[in-house]
Amino acid sequence: MPLISIIMPVYNKEKYVCKAIKSVLNQRFTDFELIIINDGSSDKSLEKCRLFNDDRIKIISVENGGVSKARNIGLDNAAGEYVTFVDADDYIDPFFLDKIYIENSSMVIGGLTKVSENHEIIGFIRPRLAGKMSIDAVVKTFYKEQILSGIYGFVGSKLVKRKIIEDNSIRFDEGISLAEDFEFFLKVYRCVDYIHFISDSLYYYVQNANNSAIAMSDDKINFFEQIQIQIKTKDFLVSKDSFDKDENDLYLERV
């Protein structure tokens, strides 16, 4: 059984997917499996995925059902003790798994490096907290930090013990088209007692990639869904007794 399962959904990413896969195979930490879910790609993505001959790669092809369904299929097929996600238009540093794997941690959150399609560094997103923190301490700054940087919502640069996901039947909501990753991790945060934060920004988040949510126009956004996610965030903070006037003001402004 591999220690880490890396889940990579692929939909029409022929321009990027080879770099993403190579970055995984170049990891100094080698005890992993890479589960690639070809989500009904109509370009040469699947052909490019099949170029790699490595026993750690498992390719699953399905009809197009969206990124959340693809990630759920990855979770259903994962065998590792831990799970992390790498999108097919992003890539990771050779020491990414080395740094983000911390033995016996329930969850680890690291930073991200925002890069252009030419791999030029645009900026960094790093957690403000450091080291092992109780969830009761995390929630004190959770909402403000999420609004400022989005750090708690990004699917990248997070490692979660798979037992937590499975024991609590946590899956991506396949009916959500934007911020589905934040909604997923909100369910994870409810089930962990501690989070380990690292400042290393070894996940490269490519900006303006084709089909990326960051380029989604307003007419394609379901704003009712987004309000529902804010309500779930409020409910999470209320359950942790960490929703005071400052959080409420941020919440009302966001909604």
Side-chain angles (χ1 to χ4, degrees):
M1 182 178 76
L3 190 57
I4 298 175
S5 294
I6 303 169
I7 296 174
M8 181 182 292
V10 179
Y11 176 68
N12 289 352
K13 300 294 185 183
E14 63 177 5
K15 180 179 177 181
Y16 309 96
V17 70
C18 283
K19 185 172 182 63
I21 294 173
K22 286 178 182 177
S23 76
V24 172
L25 298 181
N26 286 336
Q27 291 299 294
R28 301 296 188 265
F29 183 105
T30 59
D31 190 5
F32 66 82
E33 65 175 354
L34 172 60
I35 305 173
I36 298 173
I37 305 91
N38 173 45
D39 186 28
S41 296
S42 58
D43 63 0
K44 295 182 179 180
S45 292
L46 179 58
E47 180 181 328
K48 290 183 178 293
C49 291
R50 288 174 171 166
L51 292 174
F52 297 89
N53 183 23
D54 193 301
D55 291 340
R56 294 170 297 178
I57 297 177
K58 179 191 297 183
I59 300 175
I60 302 171
S61 284
V62 296
E63 292 184 4
N64 179 247
V67 67
S68 291
K69 185 173 183 178
R71 288 176 181 148
N72 286 339
I73 291 170
L75 288 171
D76 291 342
N77 287 273
E81 183 178 350
Y82 290 87
V83 172
T84 191
F85 300 90
V86 177
D87 282 347
D89 46 14
D90 298 332
Y91 55 96
I92 52 178
D93 184 271
F95 288 95
F96 173 75
L97 293 181
D98 262 328
K99 294 291 186 178
I100 205 164
Y101 170 66
I102 298 174
E103 190 174 3
N104 296 324
S105 291
S106 297
M107 183 177 191
V108 183
I109 297 179
L112 302 96
T113 300
K114 295 192 292 183
V115 296
S116 69
E117 293 191 60
N118 296 323
H119 316 305
E120 297 170 341
I121 294 177
I122 297 173
F124 301 94
I125 302 172
R126 295 189 178 101
R128 294 187 176 186
L129 300 177
K132 185 178 180 181
M133 303 289 294
S134 71
I135 194 67
D136 291 334
V138 171
V139 294
K140 292 179 180 178
T141 58
F142 181 93
Y143 201 35
K144 184 176 181 179
E145 189 169 1
Q146 172 60 20
I147 289 175
L148 289 174
S149 70
I151 189 72
Y152 291 106
F154 291 114
V155 74
S157 206
K158 292 179 176 63
L159 186 79
V160 184
K161 185 168 283 190
R162 188 166 66 89
K163 189 177 189 300
I164 292 171
I165 295 173
E166 296 306 319
D167 286 354
N168 296 283
S169 302
I170 299 172
R171 288 295 186 270
F172 289 87
D173 187 333
E174 297 176 14
I176 297 176
S177 57
L178 182 64
E180 75 289 334
D181 39 8
F182 182 42
E183 197 271 346
F184 172 84
F185 284 111
L186 275 174
K187 291 178 281 193
V188 174
Y189 299 136
R190 286 180 174 271
C191 301
V192 296
D193 294 324
Y194 291 89
I195 299 175
H196 203 117
F197 294 90
I198 59 174
S199 61
D200 302 87
S201 302
L202 303 179
Y203 185 103
Y204 294 93
Y205 178 31
V206 180
Q207 307 293 283
N208 299 317
N210 291 340
N211 302 319
S212 173
I214 61 176
M216 187 177 290
S217 59
D218 281 359
D219 61 342
K220 294 183 179 180
I221 296 174
N222 185 326
F223 287 98
F224 179 74
E225 283 180 358
Q226 300 309 302
I227 291 173
Q228 291 295 107
I229 292 173
Q230 294 303 312
I231 292 172
K232 290 178 182 179
T233 308
K234 176 182 177 179
D235 290 344
F236 164 61
L237 295 174
V238 168
S239 74
K240 296 296 182 182
D241 195 26
S242 187
F243 194 81
D244 59 19
K245 183 181 183 302
D246 289 342
E247 278 75 21
N248 190 60
D249 289 345
L250 289 171
Y251 168 78
L252 292 175
E253 181 181 353
R254 193 70 165 179
V255 170

